[in-house]
Amino acid sequence: PPLAASSPSLPQTVENFVSSHSPVVCSTGAACTEYGLKSALEAVAMLRTDYPRIGLVLVLTRYGEAPYERELFAAIESLKLGEHVIVEREVPDFISLLKRSDVLLRAALVDGDSVSVREGLFLGLPTVASDTSFRPGGVILFRKGDSVDMARKLGQALTTEKGRFASVGGVR
């Protein structure tokens, strides 16, 4: 089971972002095609109409490809998500971030038994993940690579999450 650090804290930039957005979607992965991060950006862009204050905290691992990372930033710009997405590399206490998030998104196109999925489930966080070959029970699945289905399932997770988020019109 995941344990919080003895003095859990987030980098100030992340703290400020999380405090000013609602709902907060958290996702992590490497800057490469296999992690489906561009689809995640597209899904968040679709949800922006129904959730005008939505925020995506995208935590990149130290692995990845510089050209793909540039594509991610270009997608953030072209989708006009600059105010809705923060990309971080250094989040020393990922559990604290999960505790401050409203949903965990795992957009990977290929995946095994994801630690972040297990952590989200353990903490009782609604967890939305691609339908790769292995996902534990309790995960809300979307068709891998399908940003429309991803947005739909994120919307479902947000509206069933204790009714905390009143969307403007709902994702259909």
Side-chain angles (χ1 to χ4, degrees):
L3 301 174
S6 58
S7 57
S9 63
L10 296 172
Q12 194 60 51
T13 54
V14 177
E15 180 63 45
N16 293 345
F17 184 85
V18 168
S19 295
S20 64
H21 291 82
S22 181
V24 173
V25 178
C26 174
S27 190
T28 185
C32 56
T33 306
E34 295 81 7
Y35 283 89
L37 300 177
K38 282 199 275 187
S39 292
L41 295 172
E42 293 166 0
V44 168
M46 290 176 217
L47 289 168
R48 190 179 51 210
T49 301
D50 295 329
Y51 301 95
R53 293 184 52 232
I54 193 169
L56 170 64
V57 181
L58 182 55
V59 181
L60 295 180
T61 66
R62 60 184 162 170
Y63 308 102
E65 304 159 359
Y68 188 82
E69 189 169 331
R70 286 191 294 274
E71 289 179 34
L72 288 175
F73 283 101
I76 290 168
E77 186 176 327
S78 70
L79 293 167
K80 298 179 180 15
L81 288 174
E83 295 178 20
H84 298 275
V85 177
I86 184 171
V87 178
E88 287 289 324
R89 286 194 176 279
E90 298 297 323
V91 178
D93 185 8
F94 190 68
I95 299 305
S96 289
L97 175 58
L98 288 176
K99 287 180 176 180
R100 297 288 309 279
S101 300
D102 299 297
V103 65
L104 170 68
L105 173 62
R106 183 71 172 178
L109 301 175
V110 178
D111 212 357
D113 191 2
S114 167
V115 173
S116 62
V117 167
R118 293 282 184 176
E119 290 170 332
L121 290 172
F122 178 83
L123 294 171
L125 190 63
T127 301
V128 177
S130 55
D131 61 355
T132 60
S133 60
F134 178 82
R135 292 293 184 214
V139 174
I140 300 168
L141 299 174
F142 65 88
R143 288 183 303 277
K144 61 184 172 186
D146 185 340
S147 58
V148 173
D149 193 39
M150 186 189 308
R152 196 174 291 124
K153 298 301 173 60
L154 281 168
Q156 175 187 352
L158 291 170
T159 55
T160 58
E161 158 53 0
K162 302 173 192 142
R164 288 175 28 184
F165 303 100
S167 71
V168 176
V171 176
R172 294 170 197 28

